Amino acid sequence: MITLHHLVYSRSTRVLWALEELGIPYELVVYQRTPSFRAPPELATVHPLGKAPVIVDDGLVVAESGAILTYLNDQHGGGRLAPPIGSKARVIHDEWLHYVEGSAAMPVMLTLIGGMVGGLQENLTDFVQPELVKTMAYIADGVGEGPWLMGEDFTIADIQLAYLVELAAGAGLAADHPGLKTYLSRLQARPAYEKAISSGGRVVPSRPG
């Protein structure tokens, strides 16, 4: 059975969601964040990076959301949540899958971190802000009329993107793109998403009051 090492308020929600979507049996090990909102040191005993998500499957240890989602879908899910390997659609799908963490996450996460530490330096803000605007517009255009990134077919690329869209929307970064809010509502209405949140907790911490 696959073991998922899950950190609350983290990218590992993606993997928990994918396991539920694909109906794959799993064992869930939950880790709480430290008072400084960092991952606890115990995670370093599972993987040298000391971060989540990490899965363990028959001795195979895999980190990184995109790699885990692809592994689960292709090896345990019958390929149901991605276009066929070798197709042009699969190339476009995989571009989205890797774009999320390879490019899109940087301006979003830096903006969120800036809000946590009292703001970014002016020269860094001057660099990040145009990238953020371009990123949010690109994602909104990619989602389009939807309902999903690949049209009528819900895929692991949607699961990968959902975490970033939820963070951005929660911080007001998607306000200029109402279609993203609609897209997020569709994602959050999926039963497997609801099960993942029930088991692993919310993506974004509740705000006081």
Side-chain angles (χ1 to χ4, degrees):
M1 181 178 292
I2 292 172
T3 299
L4 168 60
H5 294 269
H6 169 70
L7 177 65
V8 299
Y9 308 129
S10 82
R11 291 165 169 84
S12 55
T13 300
R14 293 165 169 160
V15 179
L16 184 53
W17 181 2
L19 288 164
E20 292 289 353
E21 286 280 358
L22 292 165
I24 301 170
Y26 63 92
E27 177 185 0
L28 183 64
V29 181
V30 179
Y31 299 80
Q32 300 298 321
R33 289 185 176 272
T34 67
S36 59
F37 209 67
R38 299 184 68 86
E42 291 82 5
L43 264 171
T45 66
V46 182
H47 190 281
L49 289 175
K51 297 180 179 180
V54 176
I55 64 166
V56 181
D57 184 21
D58 193 25
L60 176 66
V61 180
V62 187
E64 296 298 331
S65 303
I68 295 172
L69 294 180
T70 299
Y71 174 78
L72 293 176
N73 183 63
D74 292 349
Q75 299 298 320
H76 292 277
R80 298 198 305 276
L81 295 184
I85 295 173
S87 66
K88 291 182 179 179
R90 181 61 179 256
V91 176
I92 299 302
H93 170 274
D94 288 355
E95 180 183 4
W96 276 109
L97 183 72
H98 296 293
Y99 166 74
V100 175
E101 290 296 332
S103 299
M106 185 274 289
V108 174
M109 298 306 295
L110 281 178
T111 301
L112 295 178
I113 291 170
M116 294 169 60
V117 300
L120 300 173
Q121 294 181 350
E122 183 177 354
N123 57 347
L124 187 54
T125 298
D126 291 342
F127 172 78
V128 170
Q129 186 59 29
E131 290 298 315
L132 178 65
V133 171
K134 180 172 63 176
T135 295
M136 299 311 299
Y138 183 75
I139 293 172
D141 185 61
V143 171
E145 296 300 319
W148 314 114
L149 278 171
M150 301 302 294
E152 295 298 322
D153 296 325
F154 175 81
T155 66
I156 54 173
D158 291 294
I159 294 177
Q160 180 84 332
L161 180 59
Y163 173 81
L164 195 65
V165 171
E166 189 161 355
L167 287 183
L173 305 182
D176 293 337
H177 304 285
L180 288 181
K181 184 177 180 180
T182 304
Y183 172 64
L184 182 59
S185 296
R186 289 195 293 268
L187 291 164
Q188 293 174 332
R190 295 186 69 87
Y193 173 90
E194 295 176 346
K195 289 181 181 178
I197 297 303
S198 177
S199 298
R202 293 163 48 91
V203 171
V204 181
S206 300
R207 294 183 178 182

